[in-house]
Amino acid sequence: MNKFECIQLLKQDVIPALGCTEPVCVALCLAHASKVLDEEILSIECDVNIGIFKNGMSAGIPNFEDVGLKYAASLGAFLKNPEKGLKLFEDIDDEMKQQGKCIIIVTHSREVAQRADKVFTL
């Protein structure tokens, strides 16, 4: 494979993301789900595989001082901007930061590891 073919392959298969991809993927799923809901979100339950759990639990979130997947899920639910793709965290502002923390406080998210099937609940 020559240099031109490598560059073409990268342009074809690599897309820009803002932040670590594990929290971004969780947030993107919640952004899609919340965009189609007509009612207020009171709690979030999100199952992820072991890789996303391990890599995302202490990952930082751009424009946000707290870390981890439960904050990413909460922010994605409030952002409701799946059209931004892996750059959805660009839309975090001061109001969003407060809302993102509220759902975590209200739901008292649980972190349960289910080793048998390697599915983790946030």
Side-chain angles (χ1 to χ4, degrees), residues 5-20:
E5 291 171 330
C6 286
I7 291 171
Q8 288 302 105
L9 183 63
L10 286 173
K11 286 182 179 180
Q12 182 179 350
D13 289 343
V14 177
I15 59 172
L18 182 62
C20 179

Side-chain angles (χ1 to χ4, degrees), residues 47-63:
D47 293 333
V48 297
N49 71 23
I50 191 170
I52 291 175
F53 185 81
K54 178 183 73 69
N55 294 331
M57 286 311 294
S58 61
I61 299 169
N63 304 318

Side-chain angles (χ1 to χ4, degrees), residues 2-3 16 31 36 38-39 42 47-49 56 58 60 70 72-73 78 83 95 97 113:
N2 65 36
K3 181 180 175 180
V36 299
D38 290 332
E39 61 261 2
L42 301 176
D47 293 333
V48 297
N49 71 23
S58 61
K70 49 189 177 177
F78 283 111
E83 66 281 351
E95 180 184 349
K97 289 176 186 179

